[in-house]
Amino acid sequence: PHLLLKVLATGAILALALAFVFKYVFHYYLNYNQATFAADAANYWPMRGWLLMHITGGMVALLVGPSQFWTGFRVRFARLHRITGFVFLGAVAVGSIGAYHMAYSTTFGWGFGFGLAAMATAWVTTTGVAYYAILKRRIQIHKEWMARAYVVTCSFITFRVFNDYGPTSHLQPADIRSVTIAWASVTIPLFITIVVQ
């Protein structure tokens, strides 16, 4: 029963991650032109390198992350677990550099930029603590902080869900909604994760 639950949970997470990637990430790669980028924000085309750093790093972390939580995988393929862990770490580094620049240069106002910078800081911090814990051989702490790091990685999905679907997508004014959702996308899932752990 536990294995079935793990398979179903991992499958659901991967399905959600893939749906997010196909809807919100791939269109930038498949339609690499000014019109596509400018349709989302006026400054996305001039900052396309930073945006692509952010979404590529985020996409890799999102898709590699679930493999870190399979105990059987970690035990049987310890070397591969370490490699995918370093890939996750590198993806967060690249993605967060792009995120900080996008937050600093956003045209959606300082409140939204500050919210994005807070998301990036939570991303770097949770991942950094997880990495530090494994360097010190604190396995349980490493596992807890990796779970938090992946929850923060998924905050970009949470942001899109809150912003684009359901009752929260209709809140007005739009600029205050986006600032509030930027904070809620990190704090609510992290709070739940910490309570559950």
Side-chain angles (χ1 to χ4, degrees):
H2 295 296
L3 179 62
L4 180 61
L5 284 174
K6 284 182 181 180
V7 169
L8 290 174
T10 304
I13 291 168
L14 278 174
L16 190 60
L18 285 170
F20 175 81
V21 166
F22 283 123
K23 181 165 177 60
Y24 293 103
V25 177
F26 275 5
H27 78 280
Y28 289 114
Y29 299 113
L30 299 175
N31 305 291
Y32 188 76
N33 57 60
Q34 186 170 358
T36 299
F37 282 71
D40 292 332
N43 67 333
Y44 275 10
W45 181 249
M47 293 197 312
R48 60 192 175 274
W50 297 102
L51 176 64
L52 290 175
M53 276 179 73
H54 172 57
I55 63 176
T56 302
M59 175 181 65
V60 170
L62 197 61
L63 297 176
V64 168
S67 69
Q68 298 297 299
F69 302 106
W70 277 83
T71 305
F73 176 82
R74 287 196 309 265
V75 172
R76 284 195 198 115
F77 307 103
R79 188 164 183 268
L80 186 57
H81 173 71
R82 282 192 295 273
I83 291 168
T84 55
F86 279 116
V87 169
F88 184 86
L89 193 65
V92 171
V94 169
S96 61
I97 290 169
Y100 278 121
H101 192 276
M102 297 295 294
Y104 177 75
S105 307
T106 186
T107 57
F108 296 116
W110 70 267
F112 184 68
F114 191 71
L116 292 183
M119 289 173 78
T121 302
W123 202 20
V124 169
T125 304
T126 53
T127 305
V129 172
Y131 179 60
Y132 182 75
I134 201 61
L135 289 178
K136 296 294 184 182
R137 301 286 187 248
R138 305 289 296 273
I139 306 298
Q140 186 56 39
I141 293 173
H142 169 71
K143 287 163 70 174
E144 290 171 5
W145 281 93
M146 269 306 295
R148 294 167 190 167
Y150 193 71
V151 165
V152 175
T153 301
C154 291
S155 67
F156 303 102
I157 296 176
T158 310
F159 178 88
R160 286 296 187 176
V161 169
F162 284 165
N163 195 61
D164 298 355
Y165 306 99
T168 54
S169 66
H170 303 296
L171 296 173
Q172 294 297 326
D175 59 335
I176 293 176
R177 179 186 73 227
S178 62
V179 170
T180 304
I181 289 173
W183 285 98
S185 297
V186 174
T187 55
I188 293 171
L190 261 183
F191 174 76
I192 293 168
T193 304
I194 290 167
V195 168
V196 169
Q197 286 180 330

